[in-house]
Each structure stands twice: as C-alpha cells, then as structure tokens.
Amino acid sequence: MTNSFLVLQTDFGLGDGAVAAMYGVAYTVDPALTIANLTHEIPTYDIFAASYRLLQTIKYWPANTVFVSVVDPGVGSARKSVVAKTNSGHYIVTPDNGTLTHVAKHIGLESVKEIDEIKNRLPHSEESHTFHGRDVYVYNGAKLAQDTSYYDELKNDITADTVTSFKLGDLRLADNTIYGTIDILDVRFGSLWTNIPSSTLKTSGIENGDTISVTIYHNGIKHYQNYILFGHSFADVSVGEPIGYINSLLNLGVAINQKNFAETYGVGTGIDWQIEVRKI
C-alpha cells in the first residue's frame, strides 16, 4: 500500500543542517513524499517527551502515516533500531529506548520489527556511526512511506512486550480524591498536563464550574496547594488567576490565564511530580 506521509520528530533543533539532511535523504528515496515536522525541539536526550509527543499527535494523522522519532542518546550502542506498527495502523521508526512507551500503553503495538543497521541504511553511509537519524531512521521511514509493503521486507520480528519501556505515572481514585502525576508541559505557555483523564474527573463528580482542591507534591513534599475553578477555558477566570481545564488530549490541565504556571510556581514534570485533585 502506498502512503506519502512522513512525520519527523527529533531533539536536533534547527540550528544546523541535521534536519535538512534528513529531508534530503527522504526526498532522494521518493521526491513525491509529503514530509511534516512534529517537532525538532524535544529537550535534548528527553526520551519521555519524545514518547509523549508521539501519543499527542499520532491519532490525528491518517492510517499508514510513518513517524520517524529520533531522540537517541545511545546512538552507536547496542540498542536496537525498530519499526513498530500500531493498533491504529500507523508506523513509528525509532530507537528501541523507551520512545514507544506511551503509544504502546494507550494505543497498542500490533507488531514490531528490528532494522538491520548494516543492511537497511542509506547507501554508502556505513562508516558513519553517530547520525542514525539520517542514515538509518529517515531512510527506512522514507522507504516505508513510499510503500508500506517495505515493512514485510524487515525480517527480524520482535515481540511487542519486549520493547523497551519506562515507568509511567500512577493514576488512582480513592475517597473522592484523584491521585496522578504531571506528565509534561504545554511548553510555550507553561500549563501543566496531567495523566488524569476527563473520565476520572467525571467519576469523582467534578463538573465545569466546580471548585477543586489542587495539591502538587515533588518527591512526596508538598510544593503547591490552592482552591481553583474547574472551567471550560482560560477565559473563565481573570488574567493571572489559576484554572483547571480539559486539555486537547482530554486530560486535566492546570494553568494561569495568560501567565506561565510552571515558571510561576517552579513546577516540573515526570513521576516525581504528583498531583492530588478533589471537589470542594
């Protein structure tokens, strides 16, 4: 099956020619490809962010779209290079270093194949060992986007449950209190994106217009506590006031209207940052 969509994500930034070189390789494989950028501003070496941004984006692209995600602190090491076919019918070309964690949990992996880094790579790039984004990942991604039957040519099957993953934050509801974690930021605006889905808020009886108690802990130490409005959008509160809301992934977000919550209160992300929410 032919598919022309190739979506790229890296931590390379746009300060040099790395991303342009990846584009060039893809267009050399097939000049008719449609290439888009998910982002090239993943924080350096931040595999968690790469994993999350794939989940944030993938379901909005047509089935058979090929994603190439290169956040690869182990480039040149023994870590595998893989192509995963998701239960949603998308493909992800990436190092097997945890980048597939969120998609594997929330969408599921239909199958996974290992890329032979010696055989399946840009011709005449054999002496290069530090730019697999160009030489291995985008090359294979372009071949796959050109014709998804290329997937069947990759012979080394990997069982999905052996793909490398990392621990995600826990989520539970007990005694009308929701316990979750702050997964990531809405980077430009500093809003907190949690792992608490709207369905859990509904189960706990929280509705738009309610006041909620929000307590944030860092490694178990209380860092922030406040009563805030749970609203439809930022405009439901005055400028500078905090608000809880449902973000674009249908999870709880916490923000300050027209200000940066994360910077204002020094809040970070990851499983070390816990959040408790309950209706007042």
Side-chain angles (χ1 to χ4, degrees):
M1 182 181 294
T2 300
N3 172 26
S4 61
F5 295 119
L6 183 65
V7 181
L8 308 183
Q9 170 177 269
T10 73
D11 60 351
F12 297 164
L14 297 174
D16 62 15
V19 172
M22 292 175 67
Y23 267 69
V25 168
Y27 283 135
T28 298
V29 171
D30 185 351
L33 292 177
T34 299
I35 305 176
N37 297 318
L38 195 163
T39 179
H40 296 291
E41 300 300 331
I42 296 292
T44 52
Y45 317 125
D46 192 341
I47 296 166
F48 184 99
S51 173
Y52 192 98
R53 297 307 180 193
L54 284 171
L55 177 65
Q56 179 185 354
T57 309
I58 192 170
K59 62 185 176 182
Y60 297 104
W61 282 82
N64 294 313
T65 296
V66 178
F67 290 79
V68 173
S69 180
V70 189
V71 177
D72 192 17
V75 62
S77 71
R79 62 94 187 93
K80 296 181 178 69
S81 296
V82 298
V83 183
K85 184 177 182 180
T86 72
N87 287 345
S88 57
H90 300 89
Y91 295 88
I92 303 173
V93 185
T94 189
D96 179 25
N97 60 8
T99 298
L100 294 170
T101 300
H102 284 89
V103 169
K105 179 176 180 178
H106 296 285
I107 297 176
L109 305 180
E110 177 182 307
S111 59
V112 184
K113 292 178 179 285
E114 182 178 359
I115 297 169
D116 185 331
E117 294 179 2
I118 297 175
K119 176 183 176 183
N120 302 115
R121 66 182 296 141
L122 179 69
H124 313 299
S125 68
E126 294 80 6
E127 294 186 23
S128 173
H129 304 288
T130 59
F131 197 177
H132 284 176
R134 175 195 65 196
D135 301 333
V136 176
Y137 298 120
V138 81
Y139 176 75
N140 281 272
K143 296 278 283 187
L144 189 58
Q146 181 185 47
D147 186 346
T148 53
S149 67
Y150 177 75
Y151 186 71
D152 297 325
E153 297 179 22
L154 302 172
K155 302 300 184 184
N156 297 326
D157 294 326
I158 300 173
T159 56
D161 60 0
T162 65
V163 169
T164 301
S165 63
F166 46 75
K167 179 177 173 56
L168 296 177
D170 295 326
L171 172 68
R172 62 187 178 94
L173 171 61
D175 299 326
N176 296 317
T177 300
I178 305 170
Y179 300 85
T181 53
I182 300 167
D183 276 348
I184 208 160
L185 302 181
D186 185 356
V187 176
R188 190 170 181 84
F189 302 104
S191 305
L192 314 182
W193 283 15
T194 76
N195 69 336
I196 300 172
S198 60
S199 58
T200 303
L201 295 171
K202 292 175 183 176
T203 300
S204 69
I206 296 174
E207 300 177 349
N208 281 298
D210 287 341
T211 299
I212 58 175
S213 170
V214 173
T215 307
I216 295 171
Y217 298 86
H218 185 220
N219 288 320
I221 299 173
K222 186 184 293 185
H223 187 85
Y224 171 89
Q225 187 172 35
N226 199 0
Y227 292 166
I228 68 176
L229 177 71
F230 178 67
H232 284 285
S233 67
F234 312 115
D236 287 348
V237 296
S238 301
V239 172
E241 291 295 318
I243 186 170
Y245 67 102
I246 299 300
N247 69 14
S248 59
L249 292 185
L250 303 183
N251 290 340
L252 174 67
V254 181
I256 300 175
N257 186 17
Q258 298 184 39
K259 290 191 178 181
N260 188 308
F261 193 105
E263 287 184 359
T264 299
Y265 294 107
V267 177
T269 62
I271 61 174
D272 294 338
W273 287 89
Q274 303 91 29
I275 184 168
E276 295 180 5
V277 179
R278 62 181 174 85
K279 181 176 178 178
I280 298 302

